[in-house]
């Protein structure tokens, strides 16, 4: 077997999601995932530290993407414009061909209490990342925290809309519209 | 019984916080907590299911208090008025004589990754509780979610202000002012 397997990460991810769905998360092993993907355990560990990481590596990438997008937004951008840029940049992680995998992943996480707890934890990390990136730009509190919370809310809502929308919805567009809707809602809460 | 006479729950809580601070959370046992409090293990288990619960039972109570306060707010109350009522009602949990215990608790939670994760999880539960209670009142989404997120943010900020403020700050007042500040900030994010 060659050292470099094409699409190894995605093959492992698909295999893991299949096995989690068929036998349950707890009953699935790394060896089983590698076997289903036609790869070795060693290859698995080149991409993921453990089976849980297959479900959460995408969130790590998002955290980095959000931090960078907010940092490099134009100086003149308002806090919500910087967050809009971050949400739009995250479209890279939400291409149409990822929808099936993302939906399957949600079902697996929803079925397991400790995975759900992990998911919430990652969401808090994502929110804090946005808040910190805004503070780095000189946005004071509570504006940085408020913008980050609204951004996190928009992110989650846009994700569910992306999963549920018919056709091939563009994640970036959905996210921008959702954040604007949330901004207007917050402004109208009077 | 005079209001100054310490009850068993508070004696156990004080003993646990002392031991967590002295020997670390992981090195403290239920037997040790009961002994320090001059009570039996059996009495401990009448109040708490385990040592972790000593740190988190207050959050369970808050969840119930928030749900109830929002449910019974006047029909005419806006979403943020209902949340203001919930925050004000939570003053019962933040009396001046609780400040020292609360500050010590924060230090212990901050020093332990799994306790921090638990704390974040409970915060998510609190946010979801507020959102669900608003939906029960007929508040549509995203208004219910936005109001709940702003409420959770105000709750956390008001708590930190209550810990840091000199004198004997009234939690309910701080919370109301903080939520109003957050509302105005959100409205101005445009």
């Amino acid at each position: 077997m060659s050292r470099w397997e094409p699409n190894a990460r995605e093959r492992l991810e698909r295999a893991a999601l299949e096995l989690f769905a068929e036998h349950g998360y707890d009953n699935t092993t790394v060896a089983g995932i590698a076997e289903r993907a036609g790869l070795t355990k060693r290859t698995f560990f080149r991409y993921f530290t453990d089976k849980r990481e297959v479900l959460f590596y995408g969130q790590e990438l998002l955290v980095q993407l959000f931090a960078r997008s907010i940092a490099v937004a134009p100086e003149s951008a308002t806090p919500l414009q910087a967050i809009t840029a971050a949400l739009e940049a995250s479209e890279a992680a939400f291409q149409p061909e990822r929808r099936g995998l993302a939906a399957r992943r949600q079902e697996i996480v929803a079925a397991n209490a400790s995975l759900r707890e992990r998911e919430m934890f990652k969401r808090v990390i994502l929110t804090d990342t946005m808040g910190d990136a805004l503070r780095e730009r000189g946005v004071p509190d509570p504006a940085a925290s408020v913008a980050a919370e609204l951004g996190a809310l928009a992110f989650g809502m846009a994700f569910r809309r992306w999963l549920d929308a018919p056709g091939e919805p563009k994640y970036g567009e959905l996210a921008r519209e959702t954040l604007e809707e949330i901004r207007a809602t917050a402004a109208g809460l009077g």
Side-chain angles (χ1 to χ4, degrees), chain A:
Chain A
M1 193 180 295
S2 89
R3 271 180 55 108
W4 172 251
E5 289 286 339
N7 303 320
R9 185 192 293 279
E10 193 179 320
R11 280 161 64 190
L12 289 163
E13 190 180 356
R14 284 187 188 278
L17 290 171
E18 280 171 24
L19 290 172
F20 292 161
E22 288 167 21
H23 305 297
Y25 174 77
D26 289 330
N27 300 319
T28 298
T29 63
V30 166
I33 295 168
E35 194 191 335
R36 172 73 64 106
L39 296 165
T40 62
K41 270 175 74 173
R42 197 172 150 167
T43 302
F44 179 95
F45 288 119
R46 210 175 293 148
Y47 292 95
F48 305 107
T49 50
D50 54 36
K51 66 178 178 177
R52 192 175 70 169
E53 188 61 12
V54 179
L55 298 167
F56 292 102
Y57 82 95
Q59 293 198 342
E60 295 290 351
L61 296 178
L62 281 174
V63 162
Q64 295 165 30
L65 191 68
F66 275 41
R68 214 159 32 224
S69 303
I70 292 172
V72 304
E75 223 175 304
S76 62
T78 66
L80 285 187
Q81 282 167 347
I83 285 179
T84 301
L87 293 177
E88 289 182 337
S90 71
E91 179 162 299
F94 301 108
Q95 292 297 303
E97 66 271 19
R98 296 275 317 163
R99 266 218 303 182
L101 288 178
R104 207 176 301 170
R105 176 192 173 282
Q106 286 312 100
E107 276 173 32
I108 289 155
V109 171
N112 181 305
S114 87
L115 295 177
R116 279 202 309 277
E117 193 156 332
R118 185 80 192 161
E119 178 97 325
M120 290 182 192
F121 181 67
K122 291 280 182 140
R123 195 206 134 143
V124 174
I125 302 283
L126 201 64
T127 309
D128 289 350
T129 298
M130 287 191 275
D132 289 345
L134 290 173
R135 277 174 216 109
E136 288 270 318
R137 291 172 61 86
V139 178
D141 262 319
S145 299
V146 171
E149 292 291 347
L150 298 182
L153 195 54
F155 175 71
M157 278 178 58
F159 176 69
R160 285 190 299 278
R161 288 174 176 182
W162 176 71
L163 284 184
D164 296 339
E168 291 206 347
K170 295 247 189 250
Y171 179 81
E173 236 165 72
L174 279 177
R176 191 176 54 243
E177 287 165 12
T178 304
L179 182 58
E180 169 51 27
E181 182 184 344
I182 283 173
R183 185 206 61 74
T185 302
L189 275 179

